[in-house]
C-alpha cells in the first residue's frame, strides 16, 4: 500500500484534500486507480506480483471520539482510536460478481460489489429473460474480509458511563493487522449498514 499524509496533501493540493474529506469512497477509488497506473508505468511487471495498490490516508488533523460519532459523520473520513476487544476470522467477500442465466446459460457481468447489499440483475443481456440467475462462483472475484470491534479506551470513558464501541471492517492488506487487547488508531469512512433484525427489535428504521 501507499501511505499518504493528509497534511501534506492539503498543503500541496488543497482541492484534493477537501474532496477527499467530503467524498472519501470515490476519491480513494480514484487514488488507487491512478497509483496503480503510475506504478505499472514505472514497473511494467508489477501487476504479476500484486494486482492492486491501496492508498492509505494518515495524519488526519481531526480525531473524533467513538462516543461523539453522529449522523453528520456518515460517509465522511474520520479518525478514531480505541482498544480492540474482538476480532473475527478472515472471510471471503464478493468483489466482482458474475451471474449465469439458468435459461440460456449466458454469463452476465462483471458487476463491481461496492456495498454490503446483495447485488441483483433484472434481465439477461442475451435472452432478455428476467431470470432466474445463479451466482457464477468460478468467474466471480473475492477479497479478504475481517471485522474487529473497537471500544473506547478505559481512560477516555466518563465516570459512571458504559464504554461505547463500533465495528470496523478490514479489507485486503489490513487483515490481521490488529489483535484483541491492542490500542489502535483507525482512519476510515464512517458508514451505516441496514440491519432488518435490528429494525424489528427497535421498532423503527436503523
Amino acid at each position: 500500500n501507499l501511505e499518504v499524509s493528509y497534511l501534506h496533501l492539503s498543503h500541496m493540493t488543497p482541492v484534493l484534500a477537501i474532496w477527499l474529506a467530503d467524498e472519501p469512497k470515490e476519491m480513494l477509488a480514484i487514488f488507487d486507480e491512478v497509483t496503480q497506473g503510475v506504478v505499472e508505468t514505472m514497473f511494467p511487471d508489477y501487476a504479476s506480483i500484486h494486482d492492486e495498490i491501496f492508498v492509505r490516508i494518515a495524519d488526519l488533523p481531526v480525531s473524533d471520539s467513538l462516543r461523539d460519532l453522529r449522523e453528520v459523520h456518515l460517509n465522511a473520513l474520520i479518525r478514531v482510536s480505541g482498544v480492540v476487544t474482538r476480532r473475527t476470522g478472515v472471510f471471503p467477500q464478493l468483489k466482482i460478481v458474475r451471474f449465469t442465466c439458468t435459461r440460456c446459460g449466458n454469463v452476465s457481468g462483471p458487476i463491481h460489489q461496492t456495498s454490503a447489499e446483495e447485488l441483483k440483475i433484472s434481465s439477461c443481456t442475451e435472452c432478455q429473460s428476467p431470470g432466474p440467475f445463479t451466482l457464477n462462483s468460478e468467474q466471480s472475484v473475492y477479497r479478504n474480509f475481517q471485522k474487529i470491534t473497537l471500544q473506547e479506551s478505559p481512560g477516555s470513558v466518563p465516570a459512571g458511563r458504559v464504554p461505547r464501541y463500533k465495528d470496523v471492517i478490514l479489507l485486503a492488506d489490513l487483515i490481521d493487522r490488529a489483535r484483541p487487547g491492542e490500542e489502535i488508531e483507525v482512519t476510515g469512512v464512517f458508514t451505516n449498514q441496514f440491519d432488518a433484525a435490528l429494525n424489528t427489535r427497535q421498532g423503527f428504521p436503523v
Side-chain angles (χ1 to χ4, degrees):
N1 63 62
L2 174 65
E3 189 172 290
V4 175
S5 170
Y6 187 89
L7 296 177
H8 181 74
L9 182 66
S10 61
H11 175 71
M12 299 299 295
T13 317
V15 174
L16 286 181
I18 294 173
W19 290 348
L20 176 62
D22 292 341
E23 300 292 340
K25 286 184 179 180
E26 290 77 4
M27 290 302 298
L28 287 172
I30 294 173
F31 284 3
D32 292 346
E33 182 179 350
V34 171
T35 304
Q36 182 81 21
V38 171
V39 171
E40 289 182 357
T41 301
M42 299 174 62
F43 308 98
D45 296 331
Y46 186 84
S48 62
I49 304 173
H50 295 289
D51 58 349
E52 287 183 300
I53 296 178
F54 301 97
V55 174
R56 306 299 186 192
I57 305 300
D59 302 328
L60 199 65
V62 178
S63 180
D64 296 293
S65 168
L66 290 175
R67 185 173 296 270
D68 296 332
L69 294 179
R70 298 290 186 271
E71 55 86 19
V72 69
H73 296 96
L74 281 174
N75 302 313
L77 192 66
I78 63 169
R79 185 178 67 156
V80 295
S81 60
V83 178
V84 180
T85 58
R86 182 174 176 269
R87 184 179 73 176
T88 68
V90 181
F91 302 103
Q93 183 189 49
L94 282 170
K95 178 184 176 183
I96 300 176
V97 190
R98 288 180 170 86
F99 294 97
T100 301
C101 176
T102 57
R103 293 195 176 185
C104 68
N106 178 62
V107 178
S108 300
I111 303 173
H112 290 267
Q113 174 87 21
T114 57
S115 67
E117 298 179 0
E118 182 182 0
L119 289 177
K120 296 181 179 179
I121 56 177
S122 57
S123 62
C124 176
T125 56
E126 185 69 24
C127 66
Q128 308 302 318
S129 69
F133 302 96
T134 58
L135 176 67
N136 190 318
S137 58
E138 294 182 354
Q139 296 187 33
S140 296
V141 179
Y142 295 81
R143 62 183 174 185
N144 291 327
F145 169 95
Q146 187 178 53
K147 181 187 294 185
I148 64 173
T149 300
L150 190 67
Q151 183 176 286
E152 287 180 299
S153 302
S156 65
V157 181
R161 300 292 183 88
V162 177
R164 302 282 180 87
Y165 65 90
K166 298 292 182 184
D167 289 331
V168 180
I169 304 300
L170 304 179
L171 301 174
D173 59 309
L174 297 179
I175 297 294
D176 286 339
R177 291 285 295 272
R179 294 177 294 181
E182 292 182 339
E183 187 166 353
I184 64 172
E185 186 176 83
V186 178
T187 300
V189 183
F190 184 55
T191 61
N192 176 58
Q193 290 187 352
F194 177 80
D195 190 335
L198 186 61
N199 289 354
T200 303
R201 188 162 62 247
Q202 298 291 343
F204 57 88
V206 177

